[in-house]
Amino acid sequence: MCIRDSINNEDKAMFRNVRRKTREISTEAAKQLLKTERRGILAVNGEDGYPYAIPLNYYYDEERNKIYFHGAMAGYKYDMIKLSDKVCFTVVGKEQIKNPDEQWAPYLRSAVVFGRCRFMENTPETMEILKALAMKYFPTEDIADKEIAASGKAVQMYEIVIEHISGKEVQEKLSLIHISEPTRRSYIS
């Protein structure tokens, strides 16, 4: 689903649809992955055309249509986002066995988000979002509050404004079937 709409076609973001429609999951299922999974992978445009992807903790706010994460106020990720705010964020769900006879070939769901990332100012609202992020990972509010008090002001909060989200489900055995015979043989041997 493309979130961003624009009257000016030059401004409109163009995102590819999932190629194999039979593997596509609904936008709601992709959002559910964003809500429930604990880690995602942020990909940014790196130096010399090399992408840079890093796993991180995050908080998804469906109502605001944003993903939040924290990091240092310096470093490679910070520098690359300063240069280009276009990012991709991917979440992979847990493997599922749907057929007991095919435990070797689990199903796997993923959600892919494209959006713009920005640095957040240190405001009371940002601190509320940091607390929501902390509560996703810490077992009690007391522990979350102590961590925020100890290092919250030294943290750079980031937000990704979601422009496009898609998701799919694949089964490993199906992936191998669609590979050419010579390539498949090289995987097996």
Side-chain angles (χ1 to χ4, degrees):
M1 171 179 86
C2 190
I3 309 292
R4 183 175 163 203
D5 286 318
S6 173
I7 297 172
N8 181 351
N9 282 336
E10 290 176 22
D11 243 8
K12 193 166 187 175
M14 298 300 291
F15 301 100
R16 292 184 180 203
N17 294 322
V18 173
R19 188 172 56 87
R20 293 211 165 137
K21 292 294 180 196
T22 57
R23 295 183 180 180
E24 185 173 29
I25 61 174
S26 70
T27 300
E28 289 311 310
K31 288 179 179 181
Q32 188 61 32
L33 278 173
L34 290 171
K35 288 180 203 171
T36 58
E37 293 307 317
R38 294 178 54 83
R39 308 273 182 296
I41 300 183
L42 175 73
V44 299
N45 296 301
E47 291 177 333
D48 298 325
Y50 287 98
Y52 177 68
I54 185 168
L56 46 79
N57 298 340
Y58 70 95
Y59 170 68
Y60 169 61
D61 187 326
E62 184 176 13
E63 189 175 303
R64 291 181 175 145
N65 195 45
K66 294 179 180 178
I67 295 170
Y68 301 96
F69 62 95
H70 68 82
M73 294 183 190
Y76 192 70
K77 173 180 62 189
Y78 180 91
D79 292 343
M80 294 305 99
I81 292 171
K82 264 174 75 172
L83 289 176
S84 175
D85 66 346
K86 292 180 181 179
V87 299
C88 179
F89 187 78
T90 302
V91 173
V92 178
K94 294 166 189 60
E95 293 181 347
Q96 291 184 308
I97 306 296
K98 294 186 178 182
N99 181 344
D101 296 331
E102 295 180 339
Q103 291 196 23
W104 56 273
Y107 285 81
L108 191 65
R109 285 186 165 200
S110 61
V112 177
V113 168
F114 291 94
R116 303 285 179 132
C117 187
R118 74 172 190 89
F119 305 109
M120 298 178 71
E121 299 293 324
N122 192 352
T123 66
E125 180 188 13
T126 301
M127 288 290 116
E128 287 175 25
I129 293 166
L130 177 59
K131 178 141 184 196
L133 171 64
M135 289 306 300
K136 182 176 176 180
Y137 297 95
F138 289 105
T140 67
E141 188 172 356
D142 185 51
I143 294 171
D145 287 342
K146 286 177 183 173
E147 282 296 316
I148 291 170
S151 59
K153 293 195 187 310
V155 166
Q156 174 62 61
M157 286 294 294
Y158 300 79
E159 74 175 3
I160 300 171
V161 178
I162 298 172
E163 295 180 343
H164 181 78
I165 182 172
S166 64
K168 68 179 185 177
E169 180 178 61
V170 297
Q171 184 186 26
E172 283 301 314
K173 80 173 190 174
L174 293 177
S175 298
L176 288 174
I177 291 170
H178 296 288
I179 298 173
S180 69
E181 185 59 33
T183 305
R184 187 168 42 242
R185 272 190 298 235
S186 71
Y187 278 130
I188 295 170
S189 58

